[in-house]
Amino acid sequence: MRFLHETLPQRIRFASAEAAASLASEIQVLGSERVMVIASESGGRLAQRITADIPVALQHHEAVTHVPVAVAERARAAATTCRADVLVSIGGGSATGLAKAVALTTGLPIVAVPTTYAGSEVTDVWGMTEGTTKTTGRDPRVLPKAVVYDASLTQSLPIATSIASGLNAVAHCVDSLWAPRADPVNAALATEGIRALRVGLPQLISSPTAIEGRERTLFGAYLAAAAFASAGSGLHHKICHVLGGMFDLPHAQTHAAVLPHVLAFNAAHAPEAERRLAAAFDAPDAISGLRALHERLHAPTALRDYGMPESGIVPAARAVVAAALTLANPAPVSTDAISHLLRRAREGAEL
């Protein structure tokens, strides 16, 4: 056995119903005195509630999907004007993403308080969209210094959104097994993440407000993101970033619909990863395991339901191939192959 593994430096606080206290402790550790809180407009009330005990200089509630460049520029200007010394993001991937966009140019530290299973809070990956193009990159400045996990904050998340977000976490696990920096440590995190998600996500349907299922799912999402943060972005995420930028598709639902088709595309070319996934899904093979989970969760299956046009298949495939040129993907990547994959994902074809 021979590998090189990098663990990103970050502190994790995981405690249900303790978000406000955990956040106050983190702000004290950092010695911050002027906090800029970043959330969506809909998440503003929650943000105000759990930041009541910290020195808030500004509540900035403009986080939106895919982080448009104009939105990022306004947030950066606001951070300068209010003389923020720390950013606190509260919400899903949009809030975390906007905080990262600010940190990228200002160097301000981030404390993330996630309310979904997106996982962005554990990675050093940033993304912004201009027009129909989404640009992503990696930078240590955007990695949150600390993450406050509180499963009770996810209890108000609608079930459909919870399921899509949780399947996004499953996608992090799957991609981590053949991403550019895949290694045995990432594989261990990813497979344990799938086990937690496989058990936790169905509990959300049977008992939507029960904390046990929420905690298990949130823990699985953290393991998934930790694996993904180290392993890097594989073909699945390259596809989803292209689709999100080109067609403004919803992030989590896109991941849920695309994942089975990427797994089917790669599985035969990555037998060791396939065996690991099958064991994690507790299934005869990885594809049937993921399919069974999708069916149990009534997961999103067709990209056309979210606005992807048929005319966009080939242009998207070309963009994916261009984005994936440096990937050592298990299966050969070509415009024809990705067009076929996208066509099946758009139609929600059975595997």
Side-chain angles (χ1 to χ4, degrees):
M1 183 180 293
R2 186 170 186 269
F3 62 89
L4 174 66
H5 175 78
E6 183 175 356
T7 298
L8 303 186
Q10 188 177 68
R11 186 166 45 251
I12 305 296
R13 292 180 185 261
F14 197 110
S16 295
E18 296 185 20
S22 295
L23 180 57
S25 295
E26 280 304 323
I27 296 302
Q28 186 176 21
V29 167
L30 291 172
S32 301
E33 298 179 347
R34 299 188 62 81
V35 179
M36 177 176 174
V37 179
I38 294 177
S40 66
E41 185 175 353
S42 62
R45 182 174 297 180
L46 171 65
Q48 290 175 351
R49 176 170 65 81
I50 65 177
T51 59
D53 297 328
I54 62 175
V56 175
L58 177 66
Q59 293 274 356
H60 186 83
H61 299 162
E62 201 194 0
V64 293
T65 306
H66 303 307
V67 193
V69 169
V71 172
E73 293 294 348
R74 286 194 291 272
R76 289 164 174 169
T80 299
T81 300
C82 78
R83 295 182 290 115
D85 59 6
V86 68
L87 307 169
V88 170
S89 64
I90 300 174
S94 298
T96 309
L98 183 55
K100 287 181 172 184
V102 176
L104 184 65
T105 57
T106 64
L108 289 171
I110 302 171
V111 178
V113 186
T115 61
T116 70
Y117 310 115
S120 175
E121 68 278 357
V122 185
T123 78
D124 61 355
V125 177
W126 58 267
M128 284 183 284
T129 303
E130 188 166 21
T132 61
T133 302
K134 185 169 185 176
T135 302
T136 63
R138 298 174 66 98
D139 194 295
R141 289 175 295 180
V142 309
L143 177 71
K145 299 294 183 185
V147 183
V148 171
Y149 283 116
D150 180 344
S152 70
L153 300 183
T154 71
Q155 288 176 307
S156 61
L157 196 65
I159 288 299
T161 306
S162 297
I163 295 306
S165 183
L167 287 169
N168 182 16
V170 174
H172 288 144
C173 295
V174 173
D175 233 11
S176 295
L177 294 180
W178 46 57
R181 295 178 301 282
D183 65 43
V185 179
N186 298 327
L189 291 170
T191 50
E192 191 60 33
I194 287 178
R195 290 188 180 96
L197 292 160
R198 173 176 58 81
V199 175
L201 284 170
Q203 289 179 316
L204 303 191
I205 294 177
S206 59
S207 302
T209 60
I211 200 66
E212 181 183 359
R214 295 283 175 177
E215 283 187 337
R216 194 182 300 272
T217 302
L218 192 59
F219 178 62
Y222 164 64
L223 294 177
F228 180 71
S230 178
S233 181
L235 178 64
H236 172 84
H237 281 77
K238 297 296 185 185
I239 291 173
C240 292
H241 285 156
V242 167
L243 297 179
M246 290 186 75
F247 310 114
D248 195 28
L249 304 185
H251 184 77
Q253 289 83 351
T254 300
H255 280 274
V258 169
L259 179 59
H261 302 282
V262 175
L263 178 56
F265 181 66
N266 274 339
H269 299 267
E272 177 59 29
E274 197 281 333
R275 284 192 292 271
R276 284 181 173 273
L277 290 169
F281 282 121
D282 192 24
D285 59 79
I287 295 172
S288 65
L290 179 60
R291 182 170 58 236
L293 182 62
H294 264 238
E295 291 173 352
R296 190 173 182 185
L297 300 176
H298 306 289
T301 57
L303 292 176
R304 65 183 177 189
D305 294 340
Y306 300 98
M308 182 178 175
E310 185 174 9
S311 60
I313 291 174
V314 173
R318 290 173 179 154
V320 168
V321 171
L325 284 176
T326 59
L327 290 182
N329 190 65
V333 174
S334 68
T335 300
D336 287 346
I338 300 302
S339 294
H340 180 69
L341 186 158
L342 291 178
R343 186 167 288 108
R344 292 179 62 79
R346 181 183 178 275
E347 299 302 318
E350 291 187 10
L351 298 178

